[in-house]
Amino acid sequence: MNLELSEEQEAVRRLAADFVAREVAPHVVAWDRAEEVDRGIVKKLGDLGFLGLTVPEEYGGSGG
């Protein structure tokens, strides 16, 4: 049994890691101190297709 990530899964993993490094990590301390997160991050996640990953495409998800 091969448990390695497929090329597509690895690409999603890299995209997520890059997103976090660019959009989350620089703000982590401020968000923690404020005890809130900038809600604009949700739209950015949606723009990248991270919302609805487990929802079938026929219902508007990504089908991942």
Side-chain angles (χ1 to χ4, degrees):
M1 176 186 300
N2 182 359
L3 298 177
E4 293 181 22
L5 296 177
S6 69
E7 286 184 33
E8 183 179 1
Q9 290 169 325
E10 183 58 32
V12 170
R13 188 204 64 75
R14 279 192 309 272
L15 181 62
D18 291 345
F19 178 83
V20 169
R22 184 179 65 253
E23 301 289 342
V24 176
H27 308 288
V28 138
V29 172
W31 290 348
D32 186 54
R33 286 185 180 147
E35 296 182 2
E36 63 182 20
V37 174
D38 178 1
R39 292 182 182 172
I41 201 84
V42 176
K43 180 173 181 349
K44 292 177 182 182
L45 285 166
D47 291 345
L48 288 176
F50 281 109
L51 302 181
L53 278 173
T54 60
V55 177
E57 290 182 40
E58 66 245 34
Y59 299 115
S62 302

